[in-house]
């Protein structure tokens, strides 16, 4: 979120309108800029090592039924080898 500088303070009703607009536009996007929705399938675009395990998810792995999080840069999912996985959207493309 970028800091916005202005000479005069913003009225509270203006702030409410600004947060509503940013909530609508704050949708998670994949590496190509395609908007991701709940339940979509995605493909990995890079080999990823999973922290805490010896598993490496290979490029091209299909991950089905993603769940969105509060952070637009992260999604939750289950891969074949790892359950309860959190992935960054910059390493995904919509399938």
């Amino acid at each position: 979120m970028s800091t916005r500088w202005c000479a005069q303070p913003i009225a509270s009703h203006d702030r409410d309108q600004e947060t509503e607009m940013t909530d609508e536009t704050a949708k998670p996007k994949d590496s190509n800029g395609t908007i991701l929705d709940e339940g979509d399938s995605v493909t990995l675009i890079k080999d990823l090592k999973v922290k805490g395990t010896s598993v490496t998810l290979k490029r091209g792995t299909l991950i089905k039924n993603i769940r969105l999080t509060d952070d637009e840069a992260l999604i939750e999912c289950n891969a074949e080898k790892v359950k309860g996985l959190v992935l960054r959207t910059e390493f995904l493309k919509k399938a």
Side-chain angles (χ1 to χ4, degrees), residues 1-81:
M1 190 169 165
S2 63
T3 305
R4 189 169 167 184
W5 298 99
C6 63
Q8 298 176 348
I10 299 173
S12 63
H13 60 74
D14 291 339
R15 273 191 223 125
D16 293 339
Q17 290 174 353
E18 279 185 12
T19 55
E20 288 178 36
M21 288 190 306
T22 55
D23 289 342
E24 291 175 2
T25 59
K27 301 269 185 178
K29 296 181 180 179
D30 68 0
S31 60
N32 296 329
T34 306
I35 294 176
L36 298 173
D37 294 316
E38 194 85 19
D40 282 346
S41 296
V42 294
T43 305
L44 295 179
I45 61 167
K46 180 180 177 181
D47 288 354
L48 298 175
K49 294 180 183 177
V50 180
K51 289 184 179 180
T53 67
S54 60
V55 174
T56 301
L57 296 174
K58 299 293 183 182
R59 177 178 177 243
T61 301
L62 181 67
I63 297 177
K64 299 178 182 177
N65 197 18
I66 64 169
R67 294 176 302 280
L68 305 180
T69 62
D70 294 334
D71 187 355
E72 67 182 59
L74 301 174
I75 59 131
E76 292 179 358
C77 60
N78 292 327
E80 292 177 10
K81 301 175 184 177

